[in-house]
Amino acid sequence: MIVVLRPHTSPKGIEEVIAEISRLGYEPAPVHGATQTIIAAIGDETTHQTLESLTALPQVERVLRVQKRYKLASRESHPEPTVVRVGDLEIGGGKFVLMAGPCSVESEEQLLETARRVRQVGASVLRGGAYKPRTSPYEFQGLGKEGLRLLELARAETGLKIITEVLSERDVEHVSASADILQIGARNAQNFQLLIECARSGRPVLLKRGMSERIEEWLLAAEYILAHGNPNVMLCERGIRTFETYTRNTLDLAAVAIAKRESHLPVIVDPSQGCGRADLVAELCKGAVALGADGLLIEVHPNPAEAVSDGQQQVDFESFGRLVEGIKPFVAASGRSL
Ligand code: PEP
Ligand code: MN
């Protein structure tokens, strides 16, 4: 860290800061300028106490961090991209991965019909919420355990892997027993106890970005899972809340490129929550591929007008088929295959 002192700090004031830096376990290296002194504090910031509290001293103007706050999630610690293995499926490697299915699991017919259709056009993972985080307590909350049973049924018939959201620590054990991938939703993006429980489950985790979460915070949330012994983490950009009203959220495609640069973890894009409009999903998918995403998580419903949640953003089977055809040249141009 770099500790910047106020101009004209007395030699006694400088000594005081140097002593404090040593006491906190760093090696102080002062650089004296004509009016101002800066002190480089040499030591590992991720294992030592932070020096930011030094700004409490009147002679300290600023404390600057040199190292990133995340370590295991960073490219520096792991230059090669991580490939998450879900059975025989690889995510983050040469194959571009399609995860698709309804927002909510509603019925056997709805889920199985969707599973067959998305598989037919190239999806390898079936999504579907059994536990739904709804803004209002009066809205459909999901089928719960029955929803998990239906997801298992769809997997048995189609061979698709299953991704579903885990809403609370209480559910981790039984959701992990059914799901191949645990989805942590935007509303739980910084629920650290839930992240730790999911890490312990040993299941691969898809971590959505929170609605107002900075990229650094998103990577630190991933760091929680990695630091608790689970290396199989995927980041998922799903739009952030901005002032815009023409879209439900603002899909932050720059964050996809940044996450790919900063981290070795696979990045998945969810354009459905990302814009909240079925008519934009296909275009956003192309953008996501172009920016380096490793896969897409798309809401597909047999009849979006009748969906019990997020009907406005779910695409029907025909649109999904067209969407997949439309991204193929982009996937090929990015050097991967579907
Ligand atoms: C969803 O995938 O249906 C969902 C609720 O996602 P998010 O947590 O991104 O809002
Ligand atoms: Mn949804």
Side-chain angles (χ1 to χ4, degrees), residues 103 127 132-133 165 183 185-187 208 238 270 273 299:
C103 175
R127 65 149 288 152
K132 294 303 300 177
E165 179 163 352
Q183 173 175 325
R187 291 153 191 84
K208 297 249 193 149
R238 49 76 73 202
D270 173 348
Q273 330 298 322
E299 288 188 345

Side-chain angles (χ1 to χ4, degrees), residues 53-305:
S53 54
L54 288 178
T55 47
L57 297 172
Q59 68 271 44
V60 174
E61 189 176 275
R62 266 177 303 156
V63 176
L64 309 172
R65 217 171 245 290
V66 177
Q67 291 176 337
K68 300 265 167 65
R69 291 169 79 193
Y70 44 87
K71 190 170 167 180
L72 301 172
S74 76
R75 269 273 175 198
E76 284 128 55
S77 76
H78 193 298
E80 289 307 308
T82 281
V83 177
V84 171
R85 291 189 173 78
V86 186
D88 56 352
L89 175 69
E90 293 190 345
I91 306 172
K95 279 224 178 262
F96 189 82
V97 174
L98 285 178
M99 308 183 185
C103 175
S104 299
V105 178
E106 298 174 13
S107 68
E108 181 171 332
E109 191 190 2
Q110 172 240 21
L111 190 69
L112 285 165
E113 206 188 329
T114 311
R116 290 179 199 124
R117 291 297 288 265
V118 299
R119 196 188 96 109
Q120 223 170 44
V121 291
S124 39
V125 180
L126 176 68
R127 65 149 288 152
Y131 293 93
K132 294 303 300 177
R134 304 307 301 279
T135 301
S136 161
Y138 306 119
E139 290 165 352
F140 179 68
Q141 305 286 308
L143 295 179
K145 288 188 176 156
E146 171 62 6
L148 296 175
R149 188 186 71 80
L150 295 176
L151 286 163
E152 287 183 38
L153 197 67
R155 173 177 51 205
E157 188 193 299
T158 61
L160 290 167
K161 308 286 187 250
I162 299 299
I163 179 170
T164 196
E165 179 163 352
V166 54
L167 266 188
S168 81
E169 282 170 67
R170 196 183 52 213
D171 298 329
V172 173
E173 200 175 323
H174 73 272
V175 174
S176 307
S178 301
D180 298 295
I181 305 171
L182 301 178
Q183 173 175 325
I184 294 179
R187 291 153 191 84
N188 269 315
Q190 289 184 296
N191 181 341
F192 302 119
Q193 293 311 314
L194 177 64
L195 299 183
I196 292 169
E197 257 335 279
C198 288
R200 291 192 179 133
S201 76
R203 286 273 179 232
V205 177
L206 178 134
L207 174 64
K208 297 249 193 149
R209 182 179 178 191
M211 285 195 229
S212 349
E213 198 177 28
R214 296 201 177 112
I215 296 169
E216 185 191 37
E217 293 169 319
W218 186 27
L219 293 172
L220 282 166
E223 187 83 7
Y224 261 92
I225 304 170
L226 299 170
H228 282 84
N230 187 339
N232 298 313
V233 181
M234 291 159 265
L235 298 165
C236 179
E237 163 59 37
R238 49 76 73 202
I240 50 173
R241 186 162 279 183
T242 69
F243 48 80
E244 185 51 67
T245 57
Y246 278 28
T247 46
R248 178 183 183 185
N249 292 298
T250 298
L251 188 69
D252 184 4
L253 288 180
V256 174
I258 293 171
K260 289 296 297 176
R261 245 174 250 181
E262 286 290 317
S263 177
H264 52 90
L265 299 173
V267 179
I268 307 296
V269 170
D270 173 348
S272 308
Q273 330 298 322
C275 68
R277 296 172 48 153
D279 64 335
L280 290 180
V281 168
E283 299 310 306
L284 290 175
C285 289
K286 293 176 187 165
V289 178
L291 278 144
D294 297 288
L296 293 161
L297 179 68
I298 303 171
E299 288 188 345
V300 182
H301 193 283
N303 185 357

Side-chain angles (χ1 to χ4, degrees), residues 6-28:
R6 291 191 195 285
H8 310 294
T9 296
S10 68
K12 183 168 168 287
I14 296 172
E15 277 314 311
E16 197 184 4
V17 179
I18 289 176
E20 194 55 20
I21 290 172
S22 302
R23 195 184 69 74
L24 291 169
Y26 289 83
E27 185 191 322

